[in-house]
Amino acid sequence: MRFVFHQCVPLVGDLLVPASDLAEIDPDGYARAMAKYDDTPERQRLRNTAIPGTGRTWTEVVFLSPVHPHAIWRAWREVRGKDLPRVEFWAIPAADLPVRTVVLDRSVSAVGDPIDASEVAPFDAASFTTAIEVPAVNRVWLEEMARRGVSGAWFHGIPHVLAPGAVPLGNARVIGWEEPV
């Protein structure tokens, strides 16, 4: 299986675009996308964080997950003992991603700090395989969230596939994360 995933959001057209591109085509969508970076100084600095290998900043790339959404849903159910509400995702063929797409696996730098070049690798669609289990660090995060009695940030500790520009959805299909792999 060679798909990456993005939670379904309202679209203008048939492309996923970076948050910064929304300023021109969907000002309200842009405002919503940028508002999520207002809560802490670290997240505020994310807006201008350069992504090595792309020539783009944090808000100039599309964030995609290399992990099948069902793996996250299943891990949460195992940890928490209950299902998450239905959420839909686009399953996007890896071959449809733009040139200079990279994988960010943040393990050296902290949120809001410059990204260490060692945390970024070129994305190779030909050898990519969708992960069907969450990484151990994500499972530990989910366990901490459950212990604290909160939910959200389900993708914490999961590498990001970062597309430098628009991602076409013509070959994508919509799935719910409760749907088995």
Side-chain angles (χ1 to χ4, degrees):
M1 181 172 29
R2 290 190 161 105
F3 292 94
V4 293
F5 305 89
H6 191 284
Q7 186 173 342
C8 291
V9 294
L11 294 176
V12 177
D14 59 351
L15 300 169
L16 277 174
V17 298
S20 60
D21 290 2
L22 290 173
E24 297 282 326
I25 59 175
D26 181 5
D28 291 336
Y30 174 76
R32 284 189 306 275
M34 298 310 284
K36 67 183 175 183
Y37 298 110
D38 288 339
D39 57 349
T40 66
E42 296 82 9
R43 289 193 52 80
Q44 289 169 3
R45 289 193 303 269
L46 275 177
R47 294 178 188 155
N48 299 315
T49 300
I51 309 296
T54 66
R56 305 282 179 112
T57 64
W58 193 264
T59 62
E60 296 173 328
V61 296
V62 174
F63 286 75
L64 305 158
S65 173
V67 177
H68 195 286
H70 185 72
I72 299 160
W73 181 88
R74 188 178 63 241
W76 180 257
R77 187 178 61 187
E78 290 167 3
V79 167
R80 192 70 187 257
K82 64 180 186 177
D83 293 348
L84 288 166
R86 180 172 174 82
V87 175
E88 293 185 327
F89 295 83
W90 285 292
I92 303 163
D96 288 356
L97 299 182
V99 174
R100 293 189 348 191
T101 294
V102 298
V103 178
L104 169 63
D105 192 357
R106 201 164 209 175
S107 58
V108 177
S109 61
V111 172
D113 290 344
I115 295 171
D116 189 280
S118 68
E119 298 173 301
V120 179
F123 178 81
D124 180 13
S127 65
F128 172 77
T129 302
T130 301
I132 58 171
E133 296 293 333
V134 297
V137 68
N138 176 259
R139 190 166 194 67
V140 168
W141 171 261
L142 294 176
E143 290 167 353
E144 173 62 17
M145 298 295 283
R147 187 185 66 70
R148 291 177 29 210
V150 297
S151 64
W154 297 293
F155 294 90
H156 180 84
I158 291 177
H160 299 300
V161 175
L162 305 178
V167 175
L169 295 174
N171 296 319
R173 61 186 174 92
V174 175
I175 63 168
W177 64 359
E178 76 286 356
E179 298 173 31
V181 178

